[in-house]
Amino acid sequence: KAWKWRVARSSAIQSIRDPSMRARLLNDGLTGKIHLRGLDKFGRPVIVFDNSVQNTASEEDQMAFLGYNFDLSTRAMTLGP
Protein backbone atom coordinates (compact mmCIF):
# COMPACT_ATOMS: atom_id res chain seq x y z
CA LYS A 1 0.00 0.00 0.00
CA ALA A 2 2.82 2.41 0.87
CA TRP A 3 4.64 1.60 -2.36
CA LYS A 4 1.51 2.33 -4.41
CA TRP A 5 1.23 5.70 -2.65
CA ARG A 6 4.87 6.53 -3.47
CA VAL A 7 4.49 5.49 -7.10
CA ALA A 8 1.35 7.61 -7.44
CA ARG A 9 3.20 10.62 -6.00
CA SER A 10 6.57 9.96 -7.63
CA SER A 11 6.08 12.70 -10.17
CA ALA A 12 6.16 15.45 -7.52
CA ILE A 13 9.54 16.83 -8.57
CA GLN A 14 8.63 16.72 -12.27
CA SER A 15 5.31 18.45 -11.57
CA ILE A 16 7.12 21.47 -10.04
CA ARG A 17 7.34 22.79 -13.60
CA ASP A 18 3.56 23.29 -13.53
CA PRO A 19 2.95 26.84 -12.18
CA SER A 20 -0.20 25.74 -10.32
CA MET A 21 1.58 22.86 -8.59
CA ARG A 22 4.60 25.05 -7.82
CA ALA A 23 2.33 27.59 -6.10
CA ARG A 24 0.64 24.84 -4.06
CA LEU A 25 3.98 23.36 -2.96
CA LEU A 26 5.37 26.78 -2.10
CA ASN A 27 2.29 27.56 -0.01
CA ASP A 28 2.64 24.31 1.92
CA GLY A 29 6.35 24.94 2.46
CA LEU A 30 6.06 28.49 3.79
CA THR A 31 6.14 27.54 7.46
CA GLY A 32 8.75 24.79 7.31
CA LYS A 33 6.39 22.11 8.60
CA ILE A 34 8.26 19.45 6.61
CA HIS A 35 11.91 19.92 5.81
CA LEU A 36 15.19 18.08 5.36
CA ARG A 37 17.68 18.50 8.21
CA GLY A 38 20.82 17.01 6.74
CA LEU A 39 21.97 13.40 7.01
CA ASP A 40 22.24 10.97 9.92
CA LYS A 41 25.48 9.14 10.72
CA PHE A 42 24.66 6.49 8.10
CA GLY A 43 24.18 9.04 5.30
CA ARG A 44 20.38 8.87 5.29
CA PRO A 45 18.38 12.07 4.93
CA VAL A 46 16.47 13.23 8.00
CA ILE A 47 12.97 14.55 7.33
CA VAL A 48 11.46 16.67 10.12
CA PHE A 49 7.69 17.02 10.50
CA ASP A 50 6.55 19.95 12.67
CA ASN A 51 2.77 19.81 12.95
CA SER A 52 2.70 22.87 15.23
CA VAL A 53 3.22 25.10 12.17
CA GLN A 54 0.54 23.52 9.99
CA ASN A 55 -0.81 26.22 7.65
CA THR A 56 -3.13 24.48 5.18
CA ALA A 57 -6.24 22.32 5.29
CA SER A 58 -5.91 20.65 1.89
CA GLU A 59 -4.99 17.02 2.42
CA GLU A 60 -4.17 16.65 -1.28
CA ASP A 61 -1.70 19.55 -1.17
CA GLN A 62 -0.15 18.26 2.06
CA MET A 63 0.37 14.82 0.52
CA ALA A 64 1.87 16.37 -2.62
CA PHE A 65 4.29 18.35 -0.45
CA LEU A 66 5.17 15.24 1.54
CA GLY A 67 5.81 13.32 -1.70
CA TYR A 68 7.97 16.18 -2.94
CA ASN A 69 10.07 16.03 0.24
CA PHE A 70 10.38 12.24 -0.03
CA ASP A 71 11.65 12.68 -3.58
CA LEU A 72 14.16 15.30 -2.42
CA SER A 73 15.36 13.07 0.41
CA THR A 74 15.81 10.13 -1.98
CA ARG A 75 17.97 12.31 -4.20
CA ALA A 76 20.03 13.40 -1.18
CA MET A 77 20.96 9.82 -0.22
CA THR A 78 24.53 8.64 -0.53
CA LEU A 79 25.65 5.20 -1.67
CA GLY A 80 27.44 4.20 1.52
CA PRO A 81 30.25 5.45 3.73
Side-chain angles (χ1 to χ4, degrees):
K1 189 174 179 177
W3 179 251
K4 288 180 183 178
W5 181 85
R6 283 289 293 125
V7 169
R9 305 235 182 250
S10 67
S11 63
I13 287 188
Q14 290 83 12
S15 65
I16 194 92
R17 293 184 182 107
D18 172 25
S20 171
M21 177 56 87
R22 186 178 320 121
R24 291 168 46 202
L25 290 173
L26 285 172
N27 183 51
D28 262 88
L30 285 175
T31 60
K33 64 183 166 199
I34 301 174
H35 56 276
L36 300 177
R37 290 295 286 186
L39 304 173
D40 69 6
K41 69 179 183 177
F42 301 106
R44 299 173 297 197
V46 176
I47 300 176
V48 175
F49 297 79
D50 183 356
N51 198 41
S52 70
V53 293
Q54 180 67 287
N55 65 333
T56 61
S58 169
E59 183 179 316
E60 184 63 30
D61 288 354
Q62 292 168 3
M63 292 296 105
F65 188 61
L66 178 61
Y68 176 75
N69 278 278
F70 280 157
D71 285 348
L72 287 178
S73 68
T74 301
R75 291 168 188 249
M77 283 190 215
T78 61
L79 295 176

Short mmCIF file of all heavy atoms in Angstrom, two decimals, residues 11-54:
data_model
loop_
_atom_site.label_atom_id
_atom_site.label_comp_id
_atom_site.label_asym_id
_atom_site.label_seq_id
_atom_site.Cartn_x
_atom_site.Cartn_y
_atom_site.Cartn_z
N SER A 11 5.85 11.65 -9.19
CA SER A 11 6.08 12.70 -10.17
C SER A 11 6.10 14.09 -9.52
O SER A 11 6.01 15.09 -10.21
CB SER A 11 5.00 12.65 -11.24
OG SER A 11 3.74 12.88 -10.66
N ALA A 12 6.22 14.16 -8.21
CA ALA A 12 6.16 15.45 -7.52
C ALA A 12 7.24 16.41 -7.99
O ALA A 12 6.98 17.59 -8.22
CB ALA A 12 6.26 15.25 -6.00
N ILE A 13 8.45 15.94 -8.15
CA ILE A 13 9.54 16.83 -8.57
C ILE A 13 9.33 17.26 -10.02
O ILE A 13 9.54 18.42 -10.36
CB ILE A 13 10.91 16.17 -8.35
CG1 ILE A 13 11.20 16.17 -6.85
CG2 ILE A 13 12.00 16.88 -9.13
CD1 ILE A 13 12.57 15.75 -6.45
N GLN A 14 8.88 16.34 -10.88
CA GLN A 14 8.63 16.72 -12.27
C GLN A 14 7.47 17.71 -12.36
O GLN A 14 7.48 18.60 -13.21
CB GLN A 14 8.31 15.48 -13.12
CG GLN A 14 9.49 14.57 -13.35
CD GLN A 14 9.72 13.61 -12.19
OE1 GLN A 14 8.90 13.47 -11.30
NE2 GLN A 14 10.88 12.98 -12.19
N SER A 15 6.49 17.58 -11.48
CA SER A 15 5.31 18.45 -11.57
C SER A 15 5.59 19.87 -11.08
O SER A 15 4.76 20.75 -11.22
CB SER A 15 4.15 17.85 -10.79
OG SER A 15 4.44 17.80 -9.42
N ILE A 16 6.77 20.12 -10.51
CA ILE A 16 7.12 21.47 -10.04
C ILE A 16 7.18 22.45 -11.21
O ILE A 16 7.08 23.65 -11.04
CB ILE A 16 8.44 21.46 -9.25
CG1 ILE A 16 8.64 22.76 -8.47
CG2 ILE A 16 9.64 21.26 -10.14
CD1 ILE A 16 8.13 22.73 -7.11
N ARG A 17 7.32 21.92 -12.42
CA ARG A 17 7.34 22.79 -13.60
C ARG A 17 5.97 23.41 -13.88
O ARG A 17 5.87 24.42 -14.54
CB ARG A 17 7.81 21.99 -14.81
CG ARG A 17 9.26 21.57 -14.70
CD ARG A 17 9.73 20.85 -15.95
NE ARG A 17 11.10 20.43 -15.79
CZ ARG A 17 11.46 19.17 -15.60
NH1 ARG A 17 10.56 18.21 -15.57
NH2 ARG A 17 12.73 18.86 -15.46
N ASP A 18 4.92 22.77 -13.37
CA ASP A 18 3.56 23.29 -13.53
C ASP A 18 3.37 24.46 -12.57
O ASP A 18 3.50 24.29 -11.35
CB ASP A 18 2.56 22.18 -13.24
CG ASP A 18 1.12 22.65 -13.20
OD1 ASP A 18 0.82 23.68 -13.84
OD2 ASP A 18 0.30 21.99 -12.54
N PRO A 19 3.07 25.66 -13.06
CA PRO A 19 2.95 26.84 -12.18
C PRO A 19 1.92 26.65 -11.06
O PRO A 19 2.14 27.11 -9.94
CB PRO A 19 2.53 27.96 -13.12
CG PRO A 19 2.98 27.52 -14.47
CD PRO A 19 2.91 26.02 -14.46
N SER A 20 0.82 25.97 -11.34
CA SER A 20 -0.20 25.74 -10.32
C SER A 20 0.35 24.85 -9.21
O SER A 20 0.17 25.14 -8.03
CB SER A 20 -1.44 25.11 -10.95
OG SER A 20 -2.34 24.69 -9.97
N MET A 21 1.02 23.77 -9.58
CA MET A 21 1.58 22.86 -8.59
C MET A 21 2.70 23.55 -7.81
O MET A 21 2.82 23.40 -6.59
CB MET A 21 2.11 21.59 -9.25
CG MET A 21 2.79 20.63 -8.28
SD MET A 21 1.75 20.12 -6.89
CE MET A 21 0.92 18.74 -7.62
N ARG A 22 3.52 24.33 -8.49
CA ARG A 22 4.60 25.05 -7.82
C ARG A 22 4.02 25.98 -6.74
O ARG A 22 4.53 26.03 -5.62
CB ARG A 22 5.41 25.86 -8.82
CG ARG A 22 6.63 26.51 -8.21
CD ARG A 22 7.49 27.28 -9.20
NE ARG A 22 7.64 26.62 -10.47
CZ ARG A 22 7.27 27.15 -11.64
NH1 ARG A 22 6.74 28.36 -11.69
NH2 ARG A 22 7.45 26.50 -12.76
N ALA A 23 2.95 26.68 -7.07
CA ALA A 23 2.33 27.59 -6.10
C ALA A 23 1.78 26.82 -4.90
O ALA A 23 1.92 27.27 -3.76
CB ALA A 23 1.21 28.38 -6.78
N ARG A 24 1.18 25.66 -5.15
CA ARG A 24 0.64 24.84 -4.06
C ARG A 24 1.76 24.32 -3.15
O ARG A 24 1.64 24.35 -1.93
CB ARG A 24 -0.18 23.70 -4.62
CG ARG A 24 -1.47 24.17 -5.26
CD ARG A 24 -2.18 23.12 -6.09
NE ARG A 24 -2.28 21.84 -5.45
CZ ARG A 24 -2.46 20.71 -6.13
NH1 ARG A 24 -2.54 20.71 -7.45
NH2 ARG A 24 -2.55 19.56 -5.49
N LEU A 25 2.86 23.86 -3.77
CA LEU A 25 3.98 23.36 -2.96
C LEU A 25 4.64 24.49 -2.17
O LEU A 25 4.99 24.31 -1.01
CB LEU A 25 5.01 22.66 -3.86
CG LEU A 25 4.58 21.33 -4.47
CD1 LEU A 25 5.63 20.84 -5.46
CD2 LEU A 25 4.30 20.29 -3.42
N LEU A 26 4.78 25.64 -2.81
CA LEU A 26 5.37 26.78 -2.10
C LEU A 26 4.50 27.19 -0.91
O LEU A 26 5.01 27.49 0.16
CB LEU A 26 5.56 27.97 -3.05
CG LEU A 26 6.72 27.84 -4.02
CD1 LEU A 26 6.68 28.97 -5.05
CD2 LEU A 26 8.04 27.82 -3.29
N ASN A 27 3.19 27.20 -1.10
CA ASN A 27 2.29 27.56 -0.01
C ASN A 27 2.42 26.59 1.15
O ASN A 27 2.47 27.00 2.31
CB ASN A 27 0.84 27.59 -0.51
CG ASN A 27 -0.10 28.04 0.57
OD1 ASN A 27 0.11 29.07 1.21
ND2 ASN A 27 -1.15 27.27 0.79
N ASP A 28 2.50 25.30 0.85
CA ASP A 28 2.64 24.31 1.92
C ASP A 28 4.01 24.38 2.58
O ASP A 28 4.15 24.00 3.73
CB ASP A 28 2.39 22.91 1.39
CG ASP A 28 0.98 22.45 1.66
OD1 ASP A 28 0.10 22.73 0.84
OD2 ASP A 28 0.76 21.85 2.72
N GLY A 29 5.01 24.88 1.89
CA GLY A 29 6.35 24.94 2.46
C GLY A 29 6.69 26.22 3.18
O GLY A 29 7.78 26.35 3.73
N LEU A 30 5.77 27.18 3.19
CA LEU A 30 6.06 28.49 3.79
C LEU A 30 6.49 28.42 5.25
O LEU A 30 7.37 29.17 5.67
CB LEU A 30 4.85 29.41 3.66
CG LEU A 30 4.58 29.99 2.28
CD1 LEU A 30 3.28 30.78 2.29
CD2 LEU A 30 5.73 30.87 1.84
N THR A 31 5.87 27.55 6.02
CA THR A 31 6.14 27.54 7.46
C THR A 31 7.24 26.58 7.87
O THR A 31 7.66 26.59 9.02
CB THR A 31 4.86 27.14 8.23
OG1 THR A 31 4.46 25.84 7.80
CG2 THR A 31 3.75 28.14 7.99
N GLY A 32 7.71 25.75 6.96
CA GLY A 32 8.75 24.79 7.31
C GLY A 32 8.23 23.58 8.06
O GLY A 32 8.95 22.97 8.83
N LYS A 33 6.96 23.23 7.85
CA LYS A 33 6.39 22.11 8.60
C LYS A 33 7.02 20.77 8.24
O LYS A 33 7.05 19.87 9.05
CB LYS A 33 4.88 22.05 8.40
CG LYS A 33 4.44 21.76 6.98
CD LYS A 33 2.94 21.81 6.88
CE LYS A 33 2.54 21.87 5.43
NZ LYS A 33 1.20 22.34 5.28
N ILE A 34 7.51 20.63 7.02
CA ILE A 34 8.26 19.45 6.61
C ILE A 34 9.53 19.96 5.95
O ILE A 34 9.47 20.76 5.03
CB ILE A 34 7.48 18.58 5.61
CG1 ILE A 34 6.15 18.11 6.19
CG2 ILE A 34 8.31 17.38 5.17
CD1 ILE A 34 5.27 17.37 5.20
N HIS A 35 10.66 19.49 6.44
CA HIS A 35 11.91 19.92 5.81
C HIS A 35 13.01 18.90 6.06
O HIS A 35 12.93 18.09 6.97
CB HIS A 35 12.33 21.31 6.31
CG HIS A 35 12.47 21.41 7.79
ND1 HIS A 35 11.41 21.65 8.62
CD2 HIS A 35 13.55 21.30 8.59
CE1 HIS A 35 11.81 21.69 9.87
NE2 HIS A 35 13.12 21.48 9.88
N LEU A 36 14.02 18.95 5.22
CA LEU A 36 15.19 18.08 5.36
C LEU A 36 16.18 18.75 6.29
O LEU A 36 16.45 19.93 6.17
CB LEU A 36 15.84 17.83 4.00
CG LEU A 36 14.96 17.15 2.96
CD1 LEU A 36 15.71 17.02 1.64
CD2 LEU A 36 14.48 15.80 3.43
N ARG A 37 16.73 17.96 7.24
CA ARG A 37 17.68 18.50 8.21
C ARG A 37 19.04 17.82 8.11
O ARG A 37 19.63 17.45 9.11
CB ARG A 37 17.14 18.35 9.63
CG ARG A 37 15.96 19.22 9.94
CD ARG A 37 16.33 20.65 9.91
NE ARG A 37 17.11 21.01 11.08
CZ ARG A 37 17.46 22.23 11.37
NH1 ARG A 37 17.14 23.22 10.57
NH2 ARG A 37 18.17 22.48 12.43
N GLY A 38 19.50 17.61 6.90
CA GLY A 38 20.82 17.01 6.74
C GLY A 38 20.74 15.49 6.72
O GLY A 38 19.70 14.90 6.43
N LEU A 39 21.86 14.85 7.06
CA LEU A 39 21.97 13.40 7.01
C LEU A 39 22.30 12.85 8.39
O LEU A 39 22.98 13.50 9.19
CB LEU A 39 23.07 13.00 6.02
CG LEU A 39 22.93 13.53 4.59
CD1 LEU A 39 24.18 13.19 3.79
CD2 LEU A 39 21.69 12.99 3.92
N ASP A 40 21.84 11.62 8.67
CA ASP A 40 22.24 10.97 9.92
C ASP A 40 23.63 10.35 9.75
O ASP A 40 24.26 10.49 8.69
CB ASP A 40 21.19 9.95 10.36
CG ASP A 40 21.09 8.72 9.47
OD1 ASP A 40 21.91 8.56 8.54
OD2 ASP A 40 20.18 7.91 9.70
N LYS A 41 24.11 9.66 10.77
CA LYS A 41 25.48 9.14 10.72
C LYS A 41 25.67 8.04 9.67
O LYS A 41 26.79 7.69 9.34
CB LYS A 41 25.93 8.65 12.09
CG LYS A 41 25.22 7.41 12.58
CD LYS A 41 25.77 7.03 13.94
CE LYS A 41 25.13 5.75 14.44
NZ LYS A 41 25.70 5.34 15.71
N PHE A 42 24.58 7.52 9.13
CA PHE A 42 24.66 6.49 8.10
C PHE A 42 24.45 7.07 6.70
O PHE A 42 24.36 6.35 5.73
CB PHE A 42 23.63 5.39 8.36
CG PHE A 42 23.82 4.72 9.68
CD1 PHE A 42 22.97 4.97 10.73
CD2 PHE A 42 24.88 3.84 9.89
CE1 PHE A 42 23.15 4.36 11.96
CE2 PHE A 42 25.07 3.22 11.11
CZ PHE A 42 24.20 3.49 12.16
N GLY A 43 24.35 8.39 6.60
CA GLY A 43 24.18 9.04 5.30
C GLY A 43 22.75 9.09 4.81
O GLY A 43 22.50 9.39 3.65
N ARG A 44 21.79 8.82 5.69
CA ARG A 44 20.38 8.87 5.29
C ARG A 44 19.81 10.25 5.59
O ARG A 44 20.11 10.84 6.62
CB ARG A 44 19.57 7.81 6.06
CG ARG A 44 20.04 6.40 5.81
CD ARG A 44 19.34 5.44 6.70
NE ARG A 44 19.67 5.75 8.10
CZ ARG A 44 19.48 4.89 9.11
NH1 ARG A 44 18.97 3.70 8.88
NH2 ARG A 44 19.78 5.24 10.33
N PRO A 45 18.98 10.76 4.69
CA PRO A 45 18.38 12.07 4.93
C PRO A 45 17.41 12.03 6.12
O PRO A 45 16.74 11.03 6.33
CB PRO A 45 17.61 12.38 3.65
CG PRO A 45 17.91 11.27 2.71
CD PRO A 45 18.62 10.19 3.42
N VAL A 46 17.38 13.11 6.87
CA VAL A 46 16.47 13.23 8.00
C VAL A 46 15.37 14.20 7.61
O VAL A 46 15.63 15.35 7.26
CB VAL A 46 17.21 13.75 9.26
CG1 VAL A 46 16.24 13.98 10.40
CG2 VAL A 46 18.33 12.80 9.65
N ILE A 47 14.13 13.71 7.63
CA ILE A 47 12.97 14.55 7.33
C ILE A 47 12.30 14.91 8.65
O ILE A 47 11.98 14.03 9.45
CB ILE A 47 11.96 13.83 6.42
CG1 ILE A 47 12.62 13.47 5.09
CG2 ILE A 47 10.73 14.70 6.19
CD1 ILE A 47 11.72 12.68 4.16
N VAL A 48 12.10 16.20 8.89
CA VAL A 48 11.46 16.67 10.12
C VAL A 48 10.04 17.11 9.80
O VAL A 48 9.81 17.87 8.86
CB VAL A 48 12.26 17.85 10.72
CG1 VAL A 48 11.54 18.42 11.93
CG2 VAL A 48 13.66 17.41 11.07
N PHE A 49 9.09 16.63 10.60
CA PHE A 49 7.69 17.02 10.50
C PHE A 49 7.37 17.86 11.73
O PHE A 49 7.53 17.39 12.85
CB PHE A 49 6.77 15.80 10.51
CG PHE A 49 6.96 14.87 9.35
CD1 PHE A 49 8.01 13.97 9.31
CD2 PHE A 49 6.06 14.88 8.30
CE1 PHE A 49 8.17 13.11 8.25
CE2 PHE A 49 6.21 14.02 7.24
CZ PHE A 49 7.27 13.14 7.20
N ASP A 50 6.92 19.08 11.54
CA ASP A 50 6.55 19.95 12.67
C ASP A 50 5.08 20.35 12.50
O ASP A 50 4.76 21.33 11.84
CB ASP A 50 7.45 21.18 12.70
CG ASP A 50 7.16 22.06 13.90
OD1 ASP A 50 6.21 21.78 14.66
OD2 ASP A 50 7.88 23.06 14.06
N ASN A 51 4.20 19.57 13.10
CA ASN A 51 2.77 19.81 12.95
C ASN A 51 2.31 21.09 13.63
O ASN A 51 1.23 21.61 13.34
CB ASN A 51 1.97 18.62 13.48
CG ASN A 51 0.56 18.61 12.95
OD1 ASN A 51 0.35 18.89 11.79
ND2 ASN A 51 -0.38 18.29 13.80
N SER A 52 3.11 21.66 14.53
CA SER A 52 2.70 22.87 15.23
C SER A 52 2.65 24.08 14.30
O SER A 52 2.07 25.11 14.66
CB SER A 52 3.65 23.16 16.40
OG SER A 52 4.92 23.56 15.91
N VAL A 53 3.24 23.98 13.11
CA VAL A 53 3.22 25.10 12.17
C VAL A 53 2.39 24.79 10.93
O VAL A 53 2.60 25.38 9.87
CB VAL A 53 4.66 25.54 11.77
CG1 VAL A 53 5.38 26.13 12.95
CG2 VAL A 53 5.45 24.39 11.18
N GLN A 54 1.43 23.89 11.09
CA GLN A 54 0.54 23.52 9.99
C GLN A 54 -0.20 24.77 9.50
O GLN A 54 -0.74 25.52 10.29
CB GLN A 54 -0.46 22.47 10.48
CG GLN A 54 -1.43 22.00 9.45
CD GLN A 54 -0.77 21.23 8.34
OE1 GLN A 54 -0.09 21.81 7.51
NE2 GLN A 54 -0.96 19.94 8.32
#
